[in-house]
Amino acid sequence: MSEDRRLDVLRAIVEDYVATREPVGSRALVERHSLGVSPATIRNDMAALEDAGLIVQPHTSAGRVPTDKGYRLFVDRLATVKPLSAPERRAIETFLEDAADLDDVVDRSVRLLAQLTHQVAVVQYPSLRRTALRHVELVPVGDRHLLVVIITDHGRVEQRTIEVPDPLDVATVARLRVRLNTAAAGRRLAELGTALSDLADDFAPVDGPLVRGVVAVVEDTLAQESEERVVLAGTANLVRGGGDFAHTISPVLEALEEQVVLLRLLGEMAEDEAAVSVRIGRETQHEGLVETSFVTTGYGGPDGGGTAVARIGSVGPLRMDYPGTIASVRAVARYLSRILAG
Protein backbone atom coordinates (compact mmCIF):
# COMPACT_ATOMS: atom_id res chain seq x y z
CA MET A 1 0.00 0.00 0.00
CA SER A 2 2.77 2.45 0.92
CA GLU A 3 4.42 1.94 -2.48
CA ASP A 4 1.16 2.57 -4.33
CA ARG A 5 0.46 5.63 -2.18
CA ARG A 6 3.91 7.05 -2.80
CA LEU A 7 3.38 6.56 -6.52
CA ASP A 8 0.14 8.56 -6.14
CA VAL A 9 2.07 11.29 -4.34
CA LEU A 10 4.72 11.32 -7.08
CA ARG A 11 2.00 11.50 -9.74
CA ALA A 12 0.39 14.44 -7.94
CA ILE A 13 3.74 16.25 -7.65
CA VAL A 14 4.46 15.81 -11.36
CA GLU A 15 0.98 16.96 -12.37
CA ASP A 16 1.08 20.02 -10.12
CA TYR A 17 4.60 21.01 -11.13
CA VAL A 18 3.73 20.69 -14.83
CA ALA A 19 0.63 22.85 -14.27
CA THR A 20 2.13 25.55 -12.04
CA ARG A 21 5.92 25.58 -12.65
CA GLU A 22 6.20 25.95 -8.88
CA PRO A 23 7.82 23.45 -6.48
CA VAL A 24 5.09 21.40 -4.81
CA GLY A 25 4.71 21.24 -1.03
CA SER A 26 2.77 18.87 1.18
CA ARG A 27 0.12 21.49 1.95
CA ALA A 28 -0.64 21.93 -1.78
CA LEU A 29 -0.94 18.17 -2.19
CA VAL A 30 -3.45 17.99 0.67
CA GLU A 31 -5.49 20.88 -0.76
CA ARG A 32 -5.49 19.80 -4.42
CA HIS A 33 -5.62 16.01 -4.25
CA SER A 34 -7.73 13.46 -2.42
CA LEU A 35 -4.91 11.21 -1.30
CA GLY A 36 -6.82 9.88 1.70
CA VAL A 37 -4.00 10.26 4.21
CA SER A 38 -2.86 12.86 6.74
CA PRO A 39 -0.44 15.70 5.91
CA ALA A 40 2.14 14.01 8.13
CA THR A 41 1.91 10.82 6.08
CA ILE A 42 2.31 12.80 2.86
CA ARG A 43 5.42 14.49 4.30
CA ASN A 44 6.84 11.07 5.14
CA ASP A 45 6.06 9.84 1.63
CA MET A 46 7.77 12.89 0.14
CA ALA A 47 10.82 12.21 2.27
CA ALA A 48 10.89 8.61 1.01
CA LEU A 49 10.53 9.78 -2.61
CA GLU A 50 13.41 12.21 -2.05
CA ASP A 51 15.59 9.48 -0.55
CA ALA A 52 14.85 7.37 -3.64
CA GLY A 53 16.01 10.17 -5.91
CA LEU A 54 12.55 10.70 -7.45
CA ILE A 55 12.03 14.27 -6.24
CA VAL A 56 14.38 16.98 -5.10
CA GLN A 57 14.19 20.21 -3.14
CA PRO A 58 15.42 23.13 -5.27
CA HIS A 59 17.39 25.75 -3.38
CA THR A 60 15.66 26.74 -0.13
CA SER A 61 12.11 26.20 -1.37
CA ALA A 62 9.78 24.23 0.86
CA GLY A 63 8.42 22.39 -2.16
CA ARG A 64 9.79 19.58 -4.28
CA VAL A 65 10.18 19.02 -8.02
CA PRO A 66 10.52 15.73 -9.93
CA THR A 67 13.94 14.48 -11.03
CA ASP A 68 14.66 12.72 -14.34
CA LYS A 69 14.21 9.46 -12.45
CA GLY A 70 10.88 10.67 -11.08
CA TYR A 71 9.60 11.63 -14.52
CA ARG A 72 10.72 8.25 -15.83
CA LEU A 73 8.77 6.37 -13.16
CA PHE A 74 5.75 8.61 -13.79
CA VAL A 75 5.85 7.89 -17.54
CA ASP A 76 6.44 4.16 -17.05
CA ARG A 77 3.45 3.93 -14.70
CA LEU A 78 1.04 6.00 -16.80
CA ALA A 79 -2.25 4.15 -16.61
CA THR A 80 -4.12 6.35 -19.07
CA VAL A 81 -3.19 8.80 -21.80
CA LYS A 82 -5.24 11.97 -22.01
CA PRO A 83 -7.62 11.50 -24.98
CA LEU A 84 -7.88 14.22 -27.58
CA SER A 85 -11.20 16.02 -27.78
CA ALA A 86 -13.53 15.41 -30.72
CA PRO A 87 -12.82 18.91 -32.13
CA GLU A 88 -9.06 18.24 -31.90
CA ARG A 89 -9.44 14.94 -33.76
CA ARG A 90 -11.58 16.55 -36.47
CA ALA A 91 -9.09 19.39 -36.83
CA ILE A 92 -6.21 16.95 -37.33
CA GLU A 93 -8.11 14.95 -39.91
CA THR A 94 -9.31 18.00 -41.86
CA PHE A 95 -5.95 19.75 -41.79
CA LEU A 96 -3.96 16.75 -43.01
CA GLU A 97 -6.44 15.47 -45.61
CA ASP A 98 -6.18 18.74 -47.54
CA ALA A 99 -2.47 18.15 -48.21
CA ALA A 100 -1.44 18.11 -51.86
CA ASP A 101 1.62 15.83 -51.78
CA LEU A 102 4.15 14.21 -49.46
CA ASP A 103 6.08 17.44 -48.80
CA ASP A 104 2.82 19.18 -47.92
CA VAL A 105 1.75 16.29 -45.67
CA VAL A 106 5.04 16.40 -43.74
CA ASP A 107 4.95 20.20 -43.48
CA ARG A 108 1.36 20.21 -42.23
CA SER A 109 2.04 17.38 -39.76
CA VAL A 110 5.01 19.06 -38.12
CA ARG A 111 3.23 22.42 -37.82
CA LEU A 112 0.08 20.80 -36.47
CA LEU A 113 1.93 18.80 -33.83
CA ALA A 114 3.81 21.92 -32.69
CA GLN A 115 0.47 23.71 -32.28
CA LEU A 116 -1.08 20.83 -30.34
CA THR A 117 1.81 20.36 -27.90
CA HIS A 118 3.20 23.93 -27.75
CA GLN A 119 6.63 22.32 -28.10
CA VAL A 120 9.07 21.53 -30.89
CA ALA A 121 7.69 19.02 -33.39
CA VAL A 122 9.97 16.72 -35.38
CA VAL A 123 8.94 14.68 -38.42
CA GLN A 124 11.36 12.32 -40.13
CA TYR A 125 10.86 11.96 -43.87
CA PRO A 126 9.87 8.45 -45.00
CA SER A 127 13.12 6.65 -45.61
CA LEU A 128 13.60 5.17 -49.05
CA ARG A 129 15.46 2.37 -47.31
CA ARG A 130 12.15 1.34 -45.74
CA THR A 131 9.71 2.36 -48.47
CA ALA A 132 8.98 0.49 -51.66
CA LEU A 133 8.69 1.51 -55.28
CA ARG A 134 5.06 2.01 -56.29
CA HIS A 135 5.37 2.96 -59.95
CA VAL A 136 7.79 4.19 -62.62
CA GLU A 137 6.39 6.29 -65.43
CA LEU A 138 8.32 6.87 -68.69
CA VAL A 139 7.38 9.91 -70.77
CA PRO A 140 9.14 10.66 -74.10
CA VAL A 141 10.21 14.30 -74.31
CA GLY A 142 11.36 14.83 -77.87
CA ASP A 143 13.16 12.24 -79.98
CA ARG A 144 16.09 11.48 -77.67
CA HIS A 145 14.99 12.55 -74.18
CA LEU A 146 12.96 10.49 -71.73
CA LEU A 147 11.39 11.73 -68.50
CA VAL A 148 11.59 9.09 -65.74
CA VAL A 149 9.07 9.63 -62.91
CA ILE A 150 9.65 7.51 -59.78
CA ILE A 151 6.84 7.20 -57.22
CA THR A 152 7.26 5.43 -53.88
CA ASP A 153 4.50 3.72 -51.94
CA HIS A 154 4.34 6.67 -49.54
CA GLY A 155 3.88 9.30 -52.17
CA ARG A 156 7.42 10.48 -52.67
CA VAL A 157 7.95 11.60 -56.29
CA GLU A 158 11.30 12.03 -58.05
CA GLN A 159 11.80 13.06 -61.67
CA ARG A 160 14.86 12.68 -63.88
CA THR A 161 15.44 13.22 -67.60
CA ILE A 162 17.86 11.05 -69.54
CA GLU A 163 19.25 11.37 -73.04
CA VAL A 164 19.46 8.27 -75.26
CA PRO A 165 21.69 7.76 -78.32
CA ASP A 166 18.94 6.73 -80.77
CA PRO A 167 15.46 8.13 -81.47
CA LEU A 168 12.87 6.77 -79.06
CA ASP A 169 10.41 4.17 -80.24
CA VAL A 170 7.05 4.68 -78.50
CA ALA A 171 6.19 0.98 -78.53
CA THR A 172 9.54 0.07 -76.97
CA VAL A 173 9.09 2.72 -74.27
CA ALA A 174 5.62 1.37 -73.49
CA ARG A 175 6.93 -2.20 -73.25
CA LEU A 176 9.81 -1.07 -71.05
CA ARG A 177 7.37 0.72 -68.76
CA VAL A 178 5.34 -2.48 -68.31
CA ARG A 179 8.38 -4.71 -67.78
CA LEU A 180 10.00 -2.24 -65.39
CA ASN A 181 6.92 -1.96 -63.16
CA THR A 182 6.32 -5.72 -63.25
CA ALA A 183 9.88 -6.34 -62.04
CA ALA A 184 10.24 -3.46 -59.56
CA ALA A 185 6.85 -2.40 -58.18
CA GLY A 186 6.50 -3.23 -54.50
CA ARG A 187 10.22 -3.83 -53.99
CA ARG A 188 12.40 -1.92 -51.57
CA LEU A 189 15.61 -0.14 -52.53
CA ALA A 190 17.85 -3.00 -51.40
CA GLU A 191 15.97 -5.43 -53.65
CA LEU A 192 15.97 -3.38 -56.86
CA GLY A 193 19.45 -4.31 -58.05
CA THR A 194 18.59 -7.98 -58.28
CA ALA A 195 15.12 -7.36 -59.69
CA LEU A 196 16.36 -5.14 -62.55
CA SER A 197 19.72 -6.72 -63.30
CA ASP A 198 18.48 -8.90 -66.16
CA LEU A 199 15.89 -6.52 -67.60
CA ALA A 200 17.98 -5.70 -70.69
CA ASP A 201 18.00 -9.39 -71.65
CA ASP A 202 14.29 -9.13 -72.48
CA PHE A 203 14.94 -6.54 -75.18
CA ALA A 204 16.74 -6.46 -78.50
CA PRO A 205 20.44 -5.49 -78.33
CA VAL A 206 19.69 -2.20 -80.08
CA ASP A 207 17.43 -1.24 -77.14
CA GLY A 208 20.07 -2.12 -74.54
CA PRO A 209 21.35 1.46 -74.02
CA LEU A 210 17.79 2.69 -73.38
CA VAL A 211 16.98 -0.08 -70.89
CA ARG A 212 20.28 0.20 -69.03
CA GLY A 213 19.96 3.99 -68.93
CA VAL A 214 16.50 3.84 -67.37
CA VAL A 215 17.55 1.18 -64.84
CA ALA A 216 20.62 3.20 -63.88
CA VAL A 217 18.66 6.41 -63.34
CA VAL A 218 16.08 4.59 -61.17
CA GLU A 219 18.77 3.00 -59.00
CA ASP A 220 20.92 6.15 -58.80
CA THR A 221 17.97 8.39 -57.94
CA LEU A 222 16.78 6.19 -55.13
CA ALA A 223 20.31 5.82 -53.79
CA GLN A 224 20.86 9.59 -53.82
CA GLU A 225 17.51 10.33 -52.25
CA SER A 226 17.94 7.76 -49.50
CA GLU A 227 19.65 10.30 -47.25
CA GLU A 228 17.65 10.70 -44.07
CA ARG A 229 16.30 14.11 -43.09
CA VAL A 230 13.97 15.64 -40.55
CA VAL A 231 11.71 18.68 -40.49
CA LEU A 232 11.17 20.82 -37.37
CA ALA A 233 8.55 23.34 -36.32
CA GLY A 234 7.82 25.24 -33.12
CA THR A 235 11.29 26.14 -31.88
CA ALA A 236 9.80 29.45 -30.78
CA ASN A 237 7.68 27.48 -28.30
CA LEU A 238 10.85 26.54 -26.40
CA VAL A 239 12.04 30.13 -26.40
CA ARG A 240 8.73 31.27 -24.91
CA GLY A 241 9.13 28.63 -22.21
CA GLY A 242 12.74 29.54 -21.56
CA GLY A 243 12.16 29.55 -17.81
CA ASP A 244 12.16 25.75 -17.93
CA PHE A 245 15.90 25.73 -18.60
CA ALA A 246 18.36 26.34 -15.80
CA HIS A 247 20.87 28.46 -17.69
CA THR A 248 20.28 29.15 -21.36
CA ILE A 249 18.24 27.61 -24.13
CA SER A 250 21.11 27.93 -26.63
CA PRO A 251 22.48 24.35 -26.20
CA VAL A 252 19.00 22.96 -26.83
CA LEU A 253 18.53 24.98 -30.01
CA GLU A 254 22.02 24.06 -31.23
CA ALA A 255 21.35 20.35 -30.64
CA LEU A 256 18.04 20.56 -32.52
CA GLU A 257 19.80 22.14 -35.49
CA GLU A 258 22.09 19.11 -35.80
CA GLN A 259 20.21 16.68 -38.00
CA VAL A 260 22.67 13.93 -37.18
CA VAL A 261 21.77 14.22 -33.48
CA LEU A 262 18.05 13.98 -34.14
CA LEU A 263 18.46 11.14 -36.63
CA ARG A 264 20.57 9.17 -34.15
CA LEU A 265 17.95 9.63 -31.46
CA LEU A 266 15.09 8.73 -33.78
CA GLY A 267 16.96 5.64 -34.91
CA GLU A 268 17.60 4.51 -31.33
CA MET A 269 14.00 5.18 -30.31
CA ALA A 270 12.74 3.16 -33.28
CA GLU A 271 14.31 0.12 -31.60
CA ASP A 272 12.23 0.52 -28.43
CA GLU A 273 9.53 -2.07 -27.95
CA ALA A 274 6.93 0.46 -26.81
CA ALA A 275 4.61 1.94 -29.45
CA VAL A 276 5.43 5.39 -28.06
CA SER A 277 9.01 5.93 -26.94
CA VAL A 278 10.00 8.54 -24.34
CA ARG A 279 13.57 9.68 -23.62
CA ILE A 280 13.98 11.88 -20.55
CA GLY A 281 16.88 14.19 -19.81
CA ARG A 282 20.21 12.39 -19.89
CA GLU A 283 18.59 9.38 -21.58
CA THR A 284 18.98 11.37 -24.81
CA GLN A 285 22.76 10.98 -24.38
CA HIS A 286 23.40 14.48 -25.69
CA GLU A 287 24.63 17.26 -23.43
CA GLY A 288 22.53 19.89 -25.19
CA LEU A 289 19.32 17.97 -24.54
CA VAL A 290 19.75 17.07 -20.86
CA GLU A 291 16.96 19.46 -19.87
CA THR A 292 14.50 18.14 -22.45
CA SER A 293 12.32 15.10 -23.07
CA PHE A 294 11.67 13.51 -26.46
CA VAL A 295 8.42 11.66 -27.25
CA THR A 296 8.24 9.77 -30.57
CA THR A 297 6.29 7.10 -32.37
CA GLY A 298 6.48 5.49 -35.79
CA TYR A 299 4.19 6.29 -38.68
CA GLY A 300 3.45 4.59 -41.96
CA GLY A 301 2.41 1.39 -40.18
CA PRO A 302 -0.45 0.37 -37.89
CA ASP A 303 -0.06 2.14 -34.52
CA GLY A 304 3.63 2.70 -35.14
CA GLY A 305 4.30 -1.00 -35.52
CA GLY A 306 7.06 -2.86 -37.29
CA THR A 307 6.13 -1.55 -40.73
CA ALA A 308 6.63 2.11 -39.75
CA VAL A 309 8.77 3.93 -42.31
CA ALA A 310 9.77 6.93 -40.18
CA ARG A 311 9.09 8.65 -36.86
CA ILE A 312 7.27 11.70 -35.61
CA GLY A 313 7.74 13.28 -32.23
CA SER A 314 7.81 16.21 -29.86
CA VAL A 315 10.69 17.77 -27.92
CA GLY A 316 9.94 19.81 -24.83
CA PRO A 317 11.18 20.63 -21.35
CA LEU A 318 11.41 18.00 -18.62
CA ARG A 319 8.36 19.74 -17.13
CA MET A 320 6.24 18.35 -19.96
CA ASP A 321 2.60 17.33 -20.06
CA TYR A 322 3.56 13.74 -20.83
CA PRO A 323 0.03 12.26 -21.16
CA GLY A 324 -1.06 15.12 -23.44
CA THR A 325 2.10 15.01 -25.54
CA ILE A 326 1.92 11.24 -25.97
CA ALA A 327 -1.72 11.51 -27.05
CA SER A 328 -0.98 14.26 -29.59
CA VAL A 329 2.05 12.49 -31.08
CA ARG A 330 0.13 9.25 -31.36
CA ALA A 331 -2.92 10.90 -32.93
CA VAL A 332 -1.02 12.84 -35.60
CA ALA A 333 1.02 9.72 -36.43
CA ARG A 334 -2.16 7.70 -36.85
CA TYR A 335 -3.72 10.19 -39.27
CA LEU A 336 -0.42 10.60 -41.10
CA SER A 337 -0.20 6.83 -41.59
CA ARG A 338 -3.77 6.71 -42.86
CA ILE A 339 -3.16 9.43 -45.43
CA LEU A 340 0.06 7.89 -46.72
CA ALA A 341 -1.61 4.50 -47.02
CA GLY A 342 -4.51 6.01 -48.98
Side-chain angles (χ1 to χ4, degrees):
M1 286 294 293
S2 62
E3 183 178 346
D4 290 341
R5 189 184 64 245
R6 286 169 185 169
L7 183 60
D8 289 338
V9 172
L10 174 64
R11 184 181 297 113
I13 291 172
V14 171
E15 291 173 353
D16 282 6
Y17 184 57
V18 167
T20 68
R21 289 193 182 187
E22 296 294 333
V24 182
S26 58
R27 179 180 300 177
L29 292 178
V30 171
E31 294 172 351
R32 296 173 187 161
H33 301 272
S34 300
L35 296 172
V37 293
S38 68
T41 299
I42 290 178
R43 285 193 293 272
N44 289 335
D45 288 339
M46 292 177 70
L49 291 172
E50 191 168 7
D51 289 342
L54 299 170
I55 60 175
V56 68
Q57 182 178 22
H59 309 301
T60 57
S61 168
R64 304 293 190 275
V65 300
T67 63
D68 288 15
K69 185 178 177 182
Y71 284 123
R72 168 49 63 193
L73 182 59
F74 171 79
V75 169
D76 289 345
R77 297 294 183 91
L78 274 180
T80 58
V81 174
K82 185 191 307 179
L84 295 186
S85 66
E88 285 175 324
R89 292 195 300 271
R90 284 195 298 271
I92 294 173
E93 187 171 7
T94 301
F95 188 66
L96 294 185
E97 283 187 345
D98 288 339
D101 53 27
L102 177 64
D103 289 338
D104 195 16
V105 169
V106 170
D107 179 66
R108 286 170 178 254
S109 298
V110 74
R111 288 189 289 120
L112 176 62
L113 185 56
Q115 292 169 11
L116 288 171
T117 62
H118 305 292
Q119 296 166 170
V120 176
V122 178
V123 178
Q124 181 184 21
Y125 257 81
S127 170
L128 288 174
R129 295 187 181 93
R130 293 185 291 274
T131 55
L133 194 65
R134 176 184 291 173
H135 184 74
V136 178
E137 187 58 50
L138 304 178
V139 183
V141 184
D143 287 342
R144 286 185 167 83
H145 289 86
L146 187 67
L147 176 65
V148 182
V149 183
I150 302 162
I151 306 170
T152 73
D153 62 347
H154 286 92
R156 196 161 174 172
V157 179
E158 300 294 338
Q159 300 183 21
R160 298 291 185 272
T161 300
I162 64 171
E163 184 176 0
V164 294
D166 299 311
L168 291 167
D169 176 67
V170 175
T172 301
V173 170
R175 182 164 167 257
L176 176 57
R177 181 190 303 116
V178 172
R179 292 290 296 112
L180 186 61
N181 283 290
T182 300
R187 295 184 181 273
R188 299 184 184 276
L189 175 60
E191 303 168 330
L192 285 179
T194 302
L196 301 178
S197 61
D198 299 328
L199 196 60
D201 295 342
D202 295 339
F203 290 81
V206 70
D207 298 322
L210 169 64
V211 178
R212 287 189 289 271
V214 170
V215 169
V217 80
V218 170
E219 293 178 339
D220 290 349
T221 299
L222 293 180
Q224 291 170 9
E225 295 300 325
S226 65
E227 180 180 353
E228 308 271 1
R229 62 189 177 111
V230 295
V231 179
L232 277 72
T235 52
N237 291 330
L238 286 188
V239 176
R240 283 192 286 269
D244 286 307
F245 302 98
H247 304 293
T248 172
I249 196 173
S250 296
V252 179
L253 298 178
E254 290 171 4
L256 292 176
E257 288 177 358
E258 296 181 37
Q259 296 248 328
V260 65
V261 171
L262 293 178
L263 288 169
R264 175 186 61 78
L265 261 173
L266 290 168
E268 292 173 354
M269 296 173 82
E271 298 175 2
D272 291 352
E273 294 183 1
V276 178
S277 178
V278 182
R279 295 291 170 92
I280 298 170
R282 295 196 177 277
E283 293 174 354
T284 62
Q285 297 183 4
H286 190 283
E287 193 62 33
L289 298 175
V290 294
E291 293 185 284
T292 67
S293 289
F294 203 177
V295 177
T296 73
T297 190
Y299 72 87
D303 295 323
T307 57
V309 296
R311 294 189 78 78
I312 181 171
S314 185
V315 183
L318 294 171
R319 190 193 62 84
M320 173 191 287
D321 174 12
Y322 290 95
T325 299
I326 291 170
S328 296
V329 168
R330 199 163 60 180
V332 175
R334 187 177 298 120
Y335 284 107
L336 181 54
S337 298
R338 186 181 305 169
I339 290 170
L340 293 180

